[in-house]
Amino acid sequence: MATLLTIGAAAKASGLTAKMIRHYEQSGLLQKPPRTDAGYRLYNSQQLQQLSFIQQARRLGFSLSEIGSLLQLWQDPARESRAVKQLAEQHLADIAEKIAELQNMQQLLQQLADSCSADSSPDCAILAALAPANGLK
């Protein structure tokens, strides 16, 4: 007979919180487990594997939608690896775009910080750059 774990034990075993496990159930990533007569959820080893898979994918920054697609591919023995690679490459492109945006933000903020005299004067180049052209002072 397979061992079934309550949500607390499943959370401990997977490294997730019970709240996140419930969230993954509600979002459809994890099949709703059977419940005891008292209403406690019981998770089997397959669901624990799915939770580990989800956690690993989240660490890599995949969205819940992307994780849903990856889970379907993972569970499909007839899958084509090119579909998995395509998902990963799209995610890599998204990450590269975010990195470029962050680098641009960093550069602009550094320029603003460098233009600040950081003295006792009320004039502030940072606030001036953030304010609309005809904004309030």
Side-chain angles (χ1 to χ4, degrees), residues 79-100:
R79 70 182 168 262
E80 293 185 359
S81 62
R82 84 182 90 222
V84 181
K85 184 172 182 175
Q86 185 177 18
L87 266 170
E89 287 179 337
Q90 179 59 53
H91 186 58
L92 280 168
D94 294 343
I95 289 171
E97 185 178 327
K98 288 178 186 176
I99 289 171

Side-chain angles (χ1 to χ4, degrees), residues 37-131:
D37 292 338
Y40 292 105
R41 292 169 169 90
L42 295 175
Y43 297 88
N44 61 32
S45 60
Q46 181 183 6
Q47 289 165 313
L48 289 176
Q49 288 178 342
Q50 289 173 345
L51 288 170
S52 292
F53 185 98
I54 292 167
Q55 183 184 38
Q56 286 294 99
R58 290 297 290 163
R59 283 186 183 141
L60 291 173
F62 285 101
S63 70
L64 292 183
S65 174
E66 291 168 329
I67 293 171
S69 296
L70 288 168
L71 276 168
Q72 286 179 343
L73 289 164
W74 181 49
Q75 295 167 343
D76 179 6
R79 70 182 168 262
E80 293 185 359
S81 62
R82 84 182 90 222
V84 181
K85 184 172 182 175
Q86 185 177 18
L87 266 170
E89 287 179 337
Q90 179 59 53
H91 186 58
L92 280 168
D94 294 343
I95 289 171
E97 185 178 327
K98 288 178 186 176
I99 289 171
E101 289 172 6
L102 287 171
Q103 287 174 332
N104 287 336
M105 287 171 38
Q106 180 186 27
Q107 183 179 18
L108 179 58
L109 189 54
Q110 186 64 59
Q111 290 170 356
L112 291 174
D114 290 345
S115 68
C116 180
S117 60
D119 58 17
S120 60
S121 167
D123 295 328
C124 179
I126 298 169
L127 294 178
L130 295 173

